[in-house]
Amino acid sequence: MYNHILSIVLFTPLLGALVLLLIPKEQKNAIRWVANLFSLAGLLISLPLIPWFWALRTQSGFKFIEGAPNTWIPSIGAGYYLGIDGISFLLIMLTTLLGWISILSSWNAIQDRVKEYYVWFLVLQTGMLGVFMALDFFLFFVFWEAMLVPMYLLIGIWGGPRKLYAAIKFFLYTLLGSVLMLLAILFLYFHHHTVTGAYTFSIPELYQTAPQIPYHYAIWLFLAFFIGFAIKVPMFPFHTWLPDAHVEAPTAGSVILAGVLLKMGTYGFMRFSLPFFPQVLDPIAHPAVRGTIITLSIIGIIYGALVSLVQKDMKKLVAYSSVSHLGFCTLGIFALNQAGLSGSLLQQINHGISTGALFLIVGILYERRHTREIAEYGGISNVMPVYATITMIMFLSSMGLPLLNGFIGEFTILQGAFIESKAWAAWAIPGVVLAASYLLWLYQRVFFGPVNNPKNEKLQDLTPREVLCFVPLILLAFWIGLYPKPIFQIMDQPVQQIVQTVRPDLNKPVLAQTPIPSAAQALPVEAGK
Amino acid sequence: MIPSTDYIRLLPELILIVFGLLVMLIEPLLGEHNNRKGLGAIALMGAVLSILASFYQTGYEGAAFFDMIHVDTFSIFFHVLIGLIAAVVILASFEYLNLQQIRYGEYYGLILLSSVGMMLMSSAVELVLIFIALEISSIGTYILAGFRRNAPISIESSMKYFLLGSFATAFFLYGVALMFGATGSTSVYTIATTLAQGATPLAYVGIALMFVGLGFKVASAPFHIWTPDVYEGAPAPVVAFMSTGPKAAAFAVLLRVLFATEAPGWFWLIWASAVLSMTLGNIGALVQNNVKRLLAYSSIAQAGYILVAFAAAKDIGISAVIFYAAAYAAMNVGAFAVASHLANVGEKYVTLDDYAGLGRRAPGLAAVLTIFMLSLIGIPVTGGFLAKFYVFQAAMQSHLTGLVIIGVINSAVAAYYYLRVIVYMYMREPQRDVPVLKMPFALGVSLAACLAATIYLGVLPGRILDYAMASARVLVR
């Protein structure tokens, strides 16, 4: 099992989908049980990776390698080639966890076409895991594109009133981004051939040749990748599909969309854009490239937060808050230093945990009242006390309160940005303040005060199944908030490697000289040693 | 004295001719009200035997009949492909003919005989023979297009196809004549050696005119105008046939003529045609509500993608064309087979509105059509993805970045209308009551074959790609 753990984790959900196909569609409960069993199995089977990976965390390079380059379609140099490092490991764990939670949370929400729903969801799960595991560009692209279809159907079939518009917008936007990326992949592939004489899509091998591409070509390739990933993240101004897709998607779809799918963009930046194109990102030779991206990130942070502030629909509010939070993630990545990158990766995990939870929270109210209008609610804490408590924890985690996960991530990102430029950090800070405003104001309007609306008087508090969905998220939020050191240790090696590729001249002492506030003792400085 | 191996090199065609004539001969012996499934079975047997004969040819590669035809891996690939298309279409027609009250056994005979023309096109290396083969294949399809005799639209389709098609083949013939004038030969290889010493303006015009004729057959812009009307009126299984078979054959001819002769001035011809086909095809398809018309425009666009690979030249470009032709045949025959089943008596139900809610009424059929649509978009795990990938890869290798960018943007636009079919099937409620017939066994088999081929080409394309590459090397010497 040790040698094939990645394939097993990857294909467990797909196997579940195939098993579901055999169950007659009338047996809705049987379908639900089987789907939940497989998603739970998918989570459980990925757990052994934790100790195994922990043991290897300091080794460089990809681990748990499976398959080899050029084994799948030898004539074009594509291979079934999997492997993970600290970055993909964390995202894979997030995916298996959120996959289980999403499927668990759909038990009552989905009443129509139950079978298809779970089949597509499990297929989606395999697609997402494949994206994080693939070490072959062709394979990566296959998963990247294949994943579009189930997500498209999840939004389009089980979505809200404007689902058709939202689904097709999501699909076309992402497809346009990915076909441009395909061009850049092909260019890298042929460039590799010109240099080495071998045709291969193997990512580790392309790492060797891509950085030597001259700037005037590389900038276009970088742009092609950038647009593909920026649409996925989504960065301002490519974000317009996100609110539509989120608002119309079913709850579980939103959780997966926010929790995992958006991370594919940031993952793409860390895995491809940075190590492939250090010549483009070189902050001394070409400051404009990085400057533009940072500016877009900061605009995203502020703009997303401001738009969240004025939303009347809870789900839309959470959706726009994602734009703001992901702005932090890209800011961290393109700070191009150890703190920024580690903070960004941690914030990606955090965002998966807290925003995933926020969508669940909105979904729970929606299931009971079938409206997400903030004005319809008020005084909910009187009728649903457990729900109110959990919501408070997750809101605090999302806005970055110390002792909870969001704080560590945002703090480390800001630290990374601060090292590069004090102005960047200064511009990003309002995002934190605004996050507190829109979340607390939302909380106040929904939960505090008397119950004005008679429809809200008899709302049922959380069922044990619903509580179960939140338990792992809350535990993780506290754990990361209190003791993030192991997580930083896991990401330490790959992040260092990226920084070294992108900025070989930048050595670690810069970090150590920066005064570290006492609240963040467990930050990557220590882990970096 | 013609050596006996020559007959082996013509064996698939001979088998089809024998079976085609056999069908024609038995037809009058059957009573007026008997159904023609028996004839279908005979025709199917003929198609299968000719496929086997094509495989058998692997041991007998070489020229035959005074260098009129040339059997090589390239021709064998297309022989098998055309044979398979014919077999699947025959299977898909079994119930269709009954349903539409078409009781003419000639239908099967014509499919076999026009397949003869297409197969000859892929092995002929002599322009006059190519012309004759083109005519054989065309005349059969002209008649087939009008087979729904009671529907005026079908007659219209047949007439249009016939008139425009005759013009197009006349252009081709004129091109052949000019080429003969320019080089003094009609043999592809002799032309190649003559052209290598320098091309006269006459040769340029000859190539252009030949391209007009072939461009018509592959439905590439600007010779595509006939496509939607003809596809709309012709019987659906016939459309499945004529949107794939003659296309594959015409592409085979284009490959031979262009690459074997290294024809002068073809690059911009192909480039412009590729851009026009992709763009006009996709834009046209965006606004279609009739599924057959939608697929017609889609097939124009797909021809454009194939032409992109042409422009890439080189062996990888040729193998991309070959692979695309195979993948396209699998998904397009499949899509039209589904459409033919849903169309019902008199092809009444062919608009997107009739497909609304199909996901509930016929989940299996809807799922199959979804896979074909996804393959036409080019989503991974389907043959369509790999075909497109391969085409763009080939074009990138030849540094045709501009063309590839136009291509990928087009394929993103195209996703919209293919998705619309899926949207209607799964996300819209039916407007009116559209009956869905029980899936007949033969059609089920043909759909399963198309589906299996589409997935196989997407997941394990290795062998076919290698074979396509081997075929390509035959042409580039």
Side-chain angles (χ1 to χ4, degrees), chain A residues 46-315:
Chain A
S46 69
L47 292 180
L49 261 180
I50 298 176
W52 294 347
F53 192 90
W54 181 252
L56 301 173
R57 67 187 182 283
T58 49
Q59 287 178 20
S60 66
F62 292 100
K63 300 154 189 82
F64 298 101
I65 294 218
E66 219 172 297
N70 307 358
T71 44
W72 177 22
I73 314 172
S75 53
I76 62 171
Y80 178 74
Y81 186 25
L82 305 177
I84 56 175
D85 63 1
I87 300 172
S88 34
F89 166 74
L90 289 172
L91 290 167
I92 286 167
M93 297 314 295
L94 180 73
T95 308
T96 53
L97 174 69
L98 285 180
W100 170 66
I101 290 176
S102 313
I103 284 184
L104 183 64
S105 75
S106 313
W107 196 286
N108 286 334
I110 303 298
Q111 294 294 344
D112 189 31
R113 305 198 204 180
V114 178
K115 178 171 161 182
E116 287 108 312
Y117 176 83
Y118 285 112
V119 168
W120 287 120
F121 217 107
L122 289 168
V123 171
L124 177 66
Q125 184 79 355
T126 291
M128 294 185 301
L129 289 168
V131 166
F132 294 131
M133 289 177 187
L135 283 190
D136 180 283
F137 243 138
F138 188 87
L139 191 66
F140 169 83
F141 194 76
V142 164
F143 283 121
W144 176 277
E145 288 267 272
M147 200 190 57
L148 273 183
V149 179
M151 195 64 222
Y152 164 75
L153 291 171
L154 286 181
I155 300 174
I157 300 181
W158 293 275
R162 288 174 67 235
K163 58 189 182 180
L164 292 185
Y165 171 77
I168 214 140
K169 194 169 173 183
F170 163 78
F171 194 99
L172 291 183
Y173 248 91
T174 343
L175 186 68
L176 188 68
S178 50
V179 291
L180 289 177
M181 184 168 80
L182 176 65
L183 285 187
I185 293 177
L186 285 174
F187 193 101
L188 292 179
Y189 168 81
F190 286 119
H191 176 261
H192 184 82
H193 174 250
T194 336
V195 177
T196 64
Y199 285 118
T200 182
F201 283 103
S202 154
I203 291 168
E205 282 178 50
L206 291 176
Y207 274 150
Q208 309 299 322
T209 54
Q212 280 104 46
I213 298 174
Y215 176 79
H216 58 277
Y217 284 126
I219 178 73
W220 293 107
L221 299 179
F222 177 82
L223 263 181
F225 274 107
F226 179 78
I227 292 177
F229 296 139
I231 288 177
K232 203 89 183 177
V233 168
M235 283 180 79
F236 180 89
F238 305 106
H239 66 282
T240 55
W241 64 268
L242 179 87
D244 287 310
H246 264 316
V247 169
E248 302 305 328
T251 300
S254 295
V255 173
I256 280 295
L257 191 59
V260 184
L261 256 72
L262 305 189
K263 305 308 171 325
M264 288 179 184
T266 44
Y267 173 76
F269 285 138
M270 296 175 88
R271 171 72 73 239
F272 304 116
S273 294
L274 266 50
F276 276 147
F277 306 112
Q279 70 275 46
V280 177
L281 285 165
D282 187 340
I284 296 152
H286 308 286
V289 178
R290 187 168 74 144
T292 315
I293 300 173
I294 296 282
T295 313
L296 291 180
S297 306
I298 292 176
I299 294 178
I301 295 174
I302 309 276
Y303 169 83
L306 285 176
V307 179
S308 295
L309 210 49
V310 296
Q311 292 308 314
K312 297 190 171 90
D313 180 311
M314 283 189 252
K315 209 171 180 186

Side-chain angles (χ1 to χ4, degrees), chain B residues 69-114:
Chain B
I69 64 171
H70 203 280
V71 171
D72 44 31
T73 41
F74 177 79
S75 79
I76 292 171
F77 185 92
F78 277 97
H79 274 63
V80 173
L81 179 61
I82 291 163
L84 284 173
I85 293 172
V88 170
V89 168
I90 289 169
L91 268 177
S93 307
F94 273 24
E95 286 302 319
Y96 178 87
L97 294 188
N98 265 352
L99 197 67
Q100 312 290 351
Q101 308 275 322
I102 299 174
R103 297 195 193 286
Y104 312 105
E106 290 90 345
Y107 178 94
Y108 297 114
L110 285 169
I111 287 190
L112 293 188
L113 292 177
S114 53

Side-chain angles (χ1 to χ4, degrees), chain B residues 74-75 78 82 117-135 137 172 176 188 207 210-211 213-215 217-218 245-261 263 310 321 475:
Chain B
F74 177 79
S75 79
F78 277 97
I82 291 163
M118 297 169 203
M119 287 185 175
L120 264 183
M121 280 164 82
S122 70
S123 57
V125 289
E126 211 275 346
L127 291 178
V128 175
L129 181 64
I130 292 178
F131 170 74
I132 293 170
L134 186 63
E135 281 289 86
S137 80
F172 181 81
V176 171
V188 171
I207 284 290
M210 280 157 67
F211 183 73
L214 294 169
K217 281 287 149 196
V218 300
K247 235 179 196 177
F251 275 121
V253 171
L254 264 179
L255 285 174
R256 277 227 200 254
V257 172
L258 292 182
F259 289 107
T261 65
F310 262 93
V321 173
L475 293 193

